């Protein structure tokens, strides 16, 4: 693999992160250059998601499925970290299924249920009310 030297300006905060990572990842990266190269590679993959232009190619020269596969590999550690810190975005959270309501046993009567006897009541109808009801609405025409 050939490399092309490039110069970049790195801000103060980025330099602080670089210094901390150099110490913490010294066994994985032999130099600042190797560490920055890996950081650029990973960052460029993430930025490729935003780069879609029909006239200039798409996704930083990657096919969508290829970029998705590369990102899946790169982002697993990120998602695991967010999960451990309870900081996953809402769209990635798994919501526990609601628990079904508790089953209440049906009580069975041990004694026979006795239906009450129907009572007979005398009903008197006032015929004057009936006569008034028959007269009501006689002025209206019905279809």
């Amino acid at each position: 693999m050939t490399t092309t030297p490039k110069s970049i300006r790195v801000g103060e905060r980025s330099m602080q992160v670089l210094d901390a990572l150099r110490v913490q990842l010294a066994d994985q990266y032999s130099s600042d250059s190797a560490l920055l190269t890996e950081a650029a590679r990973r960052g460029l993959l993430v930025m490729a998601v935003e780069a879609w232009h029909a006239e200039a190619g798409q996704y930083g020269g990657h096919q969508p499925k290829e970029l998705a596969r590369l990102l899946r590999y790169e982002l697993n550690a990120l998602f695991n970290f967010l999960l451990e810190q309870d900081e996953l975005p809402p769209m990635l959270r798994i919501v526990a299924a609601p628990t079904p309501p508790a089953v209440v046993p049906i009580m069975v009567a041990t004694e026979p249920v006795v239906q009450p006897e129907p009572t007979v009541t005398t009903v008197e109808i006032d015929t004057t009310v009936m006569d008034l009801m028959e007269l009501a609405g006689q002025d209206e025409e019905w279809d």
Side-chain angles (χ1 to χ4, degrees), residues 52-101:
W52 187 90
H53 299 286
E55 67 277 359
Q58 60 183 358
Y59 305 118
H62 294 283
Q63 292 298 315
K65 287 286 187 186
E66 176 192 12
L67 181 57
R69 183 183 55 78
L70 291 169
L71 285 171
R72 180 177 175 202
Y73 173 77
E74 292 295 336
L75 298 177
N76 273 339
L78 173 89
F79 290 134
N80 286 337
F81 178 76
L82 291 174
L83 179 64
E84 290 167 2
Q85 302 305 312
D86 194 28
E87 290 293 334
L88 278 174
M91 67 183 278
L92 297 178
R93 292 185 187 147
I94 298 172
V95 179
T99 57

Side-chain angles (χ1 to χ4, degrees), residues 92-126:
L92 297 178
R93 292 185 187 147
I94 298 172
V95 179
T99 57
V103 177
V104 179
I106 299 173
M107 301 301 291
V108 178
T110 56
E111 297 177 11
V113 177
V114 179
Q115 295 291 334
E117 292 292 323
T119 57
V120 179
T121 306
T122 305
V123 177
E124 292 184 25
I125 300 176
D126 186 353

